[in-house]
Amino acid sequence: MQRSLRLRQLMEEGVVIAPGVYNALFAKAVEKTGFDAIYITGFGTAARYGYPDVGLITQTEMVQNLRHICRATSIPVIADADTGYGNIINVRRTVREYERTGVAGFHLEDQVFPKKCGFMEGKAVIPLDEHVQKIRAALDARRDPDTVIIARTDALAPNGWEDALARARAYREAGADLVFVDGIRTLDELEIYSRELAQKGIPCLYNGGLVTAKTAEDMGFKIQILAGLALGAVFKSATAAMQELNSSGSTRQTMAQFGSQPADDNVNDILGVPEIYELEQRYDVASEGEAAQ
Amino acid sequence: MSSPGARLRQNMTGDMVLAPFVYDGFTAMIAEGQGAQAVYMTGHGTSAQIGLPDVGLTSMAEMVANLGYITEGVEVPVIADADTGYGNAINVQRTVREYENAGAAAMHLEDQVFPKRCGFFEGKQCVPMAEHVQKIRAALDARSEPDLVIIARTDAVAPNGRDDAIRRAEAYRSAGADLVFVDGIKTVDDMDIYTTRLVEQGLPCLYNGELLPVPEVAKRGFKVMITGGGHALSYAAVRQALLDLKQGGGEGRDLEQFNTITSLLGLPEIYELEKRYASN
């Protein structure tokens, strides 16, 4: 089954939890630990390439990362498509390129290009009408009618609730499958989001971990993404490892603290090393020693 | 500013150079932020982050792309895994030029048959010693500046035994390799032999592993040590965070951490630049 259709099915069943990761290895971990969907964060993808999330990472780099991730997994992948990397013409190409990677859906935001992370200072948004056109263009560009197009608004911080709500409603009106008000920092804000949109029949995505999956579902959300999950875990563990290396010359305690890898879920197995050995046998690839001098 | 290779050579004249494992821009910046004097780009981790096992499936172009992100992200010298050089001596020469262009300070070339596999996997095989001597010569000749550090790695311990590994390391050094690197050291016993038969005979050596703490490896006279959790630690930490989330835990992120991460990635500098080039 197409992942896009699968995502739509999952949304019928209840809130879809999509932990945020940014490379194929961590995406495999999401699948292996039994989640229904994977969220690919633009913030994390930018960090992977060594940059802050301020619109420096190109569509090409995002697509390349998604290709690896989709090849390595089979559950639905929800991706960050930033502003669509330009105007409506760029949005069209972005939709086609993203679809070819195999993602189930992605979100397009109403920030000016180059954008900023939803939680950073200094965001600015384009006029509502312009983003409505981008959403229309995205819907028209789909080759797979099930691809889930998520319209994100970043208007809350720069323009306030009234504008953010007006935008979310307009984007839904234009045909977006879901809306996504980003930059929700408090439970109060989350409650407004729920009351004014999610509970009024507009399918909504919530980005954050202020509430558990159960509560998010009760509040009416269709998707909850936890964009910073992998980034935070990597930052914490890698920093601790460096500090231990500096102080005692090894990383053993850190390795123990962050959980050793169980026999049935270690890096090499999850990447398919056992399957490689099987293939070598099946196709009679020279065994050890034969090619040695 | 002097070349990355020259800076690494400068570092190697002092204490042992410790280069923690990194596999992307972010982990390189974390290491540098914690004071690392050099970083090591792992091929195993580079493959893992694109979802592949370390069995020679990752291309040279993919390695170079990752290397470029890492060298752009940090100031410290980057020591890079160059596997077998991705083919014969001709491929090796292109690999050296591409790595040099991507900003590598050092790179290691191993004597496994292509396609290779991780130094700690079963079923490794080596090309004849003479063939790898030629690849090392080709690599040295291909450098556009003499500072790039060429590290000759041998994987012969597991398939051929210690004596062959020692002989190969000596031959690669005689061919002009700047350092030698015997990989797949699994016991302190092997480590002792590596020390007495190569390091103490005056060969500049690299040690990969965590059998001994950093100061003890340094005391033995190794020039470079590559170590650390790398992507395996990250995988374990991400896996743990996912399991915690399953148990009803949250995102494990707070505003303070968010701000620390964005600072590390250079957001304050971006805000400065926006002011400097503001048009209104």
Side-chain angles (χ1 to χ4, degrees):
Chain A
M1 185 191 301
Q2 289 275 73
R3 295 192 222 209
S4 51
L5 185 57
R6 178 73 188 128
L7 178 59
R8 286 175 187 270
Q9 280 185 354
L10 286 167
M11 286 194 291
E12 294 293 316
E13 294 164 14
V15 67
V16 176
I17 305 299
V21 297
Y22 52 90
N23 68 33
L25 177 65
F26 304 155
K28 277 176 164 292
V30 175
E31 186 168 49
K32 178 86 179 173
T33 48
F35 286 90
D36 289 329
I38 302 162
Y39 175 67
I40 304 306
T41 152
F43 186 110
T45 305
R48 196 202 129 168
Y49 293 133
Y51 292 94
D53 186 20
V54 295
L56 289 168
I57 301 305
T58 61
Q59 177 212 65
T60 308
E61 290 161 307
M62 296 294 284
V63 163
Q64 176 179 285
N65 197 33
L66 292 171
R67 246 188 1 242
H68 294 305
I69 287 162
C70 291
R71 188 201 59 228
T73 58
S74 54
I75 59 175
V77 173
I78 301 165
D80 186 345
D82 297 306
T83 61
Y85 312 103
N87 68 11
I88 61 125
I89 314 297
N90 302 84
V91 164
R92 281 175 67 85
R93 182 178 171 206
T94 298
V95 170
R96 300 261 164 90
E97 297 286 351
Y98 269 54
E99 275 189 330
R100 287 172 68 94
T101 67
V103 297
F106 46 89
H107 59 77
L108 292 162
E109 76 210 17
D110 56 9
Q111 287 195 54
V112 296
F113 177 84
K115 59 81 54 87
K116 285 199 167 66
C117 163
F119 286 85
M120 288 177 182
E121 299 299 315
K123 290 198 295 183
V125 288
I126 60 176
L128 178 153
D129 291 344
E130 191 179 334
H131 200 57
V132 164
Q133 297 299 345
K134 283 171 99 165
I135 296 301
R136 287 185 56 220
L139 295 164
D140 291 347
R142 286 185 292 194
R143 292 207 162 102
D144 168 8
D146 291 320
T147 297
V148 177
I149 303 283
I150 304 162
R152 165 171 148 177
T153 180
D154 284 76
L156 184 54
N159 300 352
W161 267 114
E162 199 179 329
D163 189 47
L165 294 174
R167 284 169 178 262
R169 292 182 189 119
Y171 304 157
R172 171 63 177 169
E173 191 80 4
D177 293 303
L178 280 97
V179 298
F180 168 13
V181 177
D182 201 19
I184 301 288
R185 292 172 188 270
T186 65
L187 271 176
D188 280 353
E189 288 176 333
L190 187 61
E191 273 159 20
I192 297 172
Y193 187 9
S194 165
R195 192 176 61 238
E196 299 297 327
L197 295 171
Q199 293 181 40
K200 293 213 167 131
I202 295 183
C204 292
L205 178 152
Y206 164 53
N207 170 24
L210 291 171
V211 294
T212 61
K214 173 76 175 63
T215 308
E217 184 164 283
D218 291 345
M219 294 177 94
F221 290 101
K222 293 284 180 198
I223 300 179
Q224 181 182 14
I225 61 176
L226 298 103
L229 185 118
L231 204 70
V234 168
F235 178 74
K236 249 189 294 188
S237 57
T239 301
M242 277 305 300
Q243 287 169 349
E244 189 190 348
L245 200 56
N246 287 335
S247 63
S248 72
S250 96
T251 59
R252 270 174 206 183
Q253 279 176 25
T254 309
M255 292 298 277
Q257 181 195 340
F258 285 90
S260 51
Q261 300 170 45
D264 64 341
D265 188 4
N266 64 72
V267 166
N268 290 321
D269 283 0
I270 206 174
L271 291 169
V273 172
E275 288 80 358
I276 297 287
Y277 288 143
E278 275 175 34
L279 287 170
E280 286 181 347
Q281 288 201 336
R282 186 186 311 165
Y283 298 110
D284 199 21
V285 175
S287 58
E288 181 172 338
E290 281 179 26
Q293 61 180 109
Chain B
M1 190 164 65
S2 58
S3 75
R7 280 183 286 134
L8 179 62
R9 284 174 191 273
Q10 181 61 37
N11 289 354
M12 285 196 298
T13 61
D15 295 340
M16 179 181 78
V17 173
L18 173 64
F21 273 54
V22 302
Y23 56 88
D24 64 5
F26 185 47
T27 46
M29 291 162 100
I30 292 171
E32 183 179 59
Q34 294 296 326
Q37 296 302 301
V39 294
Y40 171 69
M41 183 185 89
T42 151
H44 195 299
T46 301
S47 297
Q49 70 168 345
I50 60 173
L52 297 172
D54 188 18
V55 295
L57 290 168
T58 304
S59 70
M60 188 262 277
E62 289 169 320
M63 295 289 283
V64 166
N66 198 34
L67 175 60
Y69 290 120
I70 291 169
T71 58
E72 186 63 30
V74 297
E75 297 289 328
V76 297
V78 180
I79 300 169
D81 186 346
D83 297 305
T84 62
Y86 312 101
N88 65 15
I90 317 300
N91 299 82
V92 163
Q93 292 207 317
R94 183 181 169 206
T95 298
V96 168
R97 295 197 185 104
E98 296 288 349
Y99 272 56
E100 210 174 37
N101 279 335
M107 57 196 284
H108 63 73
L109 292 160
E110 75 210 17
D111 57 8
Q112 286 195 56
V113 297
F114 177 84
K116 61 78 55 88
R117 57 185 67 204
C118 167
F120 286 86
F121 286 0
E122 298 300 313
K124 290 196 298 182
Q125 305 166 20
C126 292
V127 297
M129 185 181 88
E131 190 179 327
H132 199 59
V133 164
Q134 296 297 350
K135 284 170 88 166
I136 296 300
R137 287 186 55 223
L140 296 166
D141 290 348
R143 292 183 290 194
S144 67
E145 43 97 0
D147 291 325
L148 177 72
V149 176
I150 299 290
I151 305 165
R153 163 171 149 177
T154 180
D155 283 75
V157 175
N160 303 352
R162 291 162 171 172
D163 287 342
D164 188 52
I166 301 292
R167 200 168 58 91
R168 283 168 178 261
E170 288 164 349
Y172 304 156
R173 172 64 177 167
S174 294
D178 295 303
L179 276 94
V180 297
F181 166 13
V182 179
D183 202 19
I185 300 289
K186 294 185 179 180
T187 64
V188 175
D189 217 25
D190 281 338
M191 185 73 175
D192 289 342
I193 289 165
Y194 192 3
T195 305
T196 54
R197 292 186 57 188
L198 292 171
V199 179
E200 289 174 3
Q201 305 307 313
L203 275 79
C205 292
L206 177 151
Y207 169 62
N208 167 29
E210 49 203 358
L211 286 172
L212 298 171
V214 176
E216 288 186 39
V217 178
K219 216 181 294 165
R220 286 169 175 244
F222 283 89
K223 289 283 179 199
V224 178
M225 176 174 176
I226 59 177
T227 192
H231 63 289
L233 172 62
S234 294
Y235 178 75
V238 169
R239 184 178 174 279
Q240 196 54 57
L242 289 165
L243 294 174
D244 290 348
L245 179 61
K246 278 250 133 140
Q247 298 305 313
E251 192 175 14
R253 177 172 79 162
D254 54 41
L255 190 62
E256 189 190 334
Q257 187 193 64
F258 178 80
N259 288 335
T260 310
I261 291 175
T262 55
S263 293
L264 180 70
L265 292 166
L267 186 64
E269 290 78 3
I270 299 286
Y271 285 141
E272 280 298 308
L273 290 168
E274 285 181 348
K275 274 186 211 153
R276 188 187 309 166
Y277 299 111
S279 56
N280 46 359

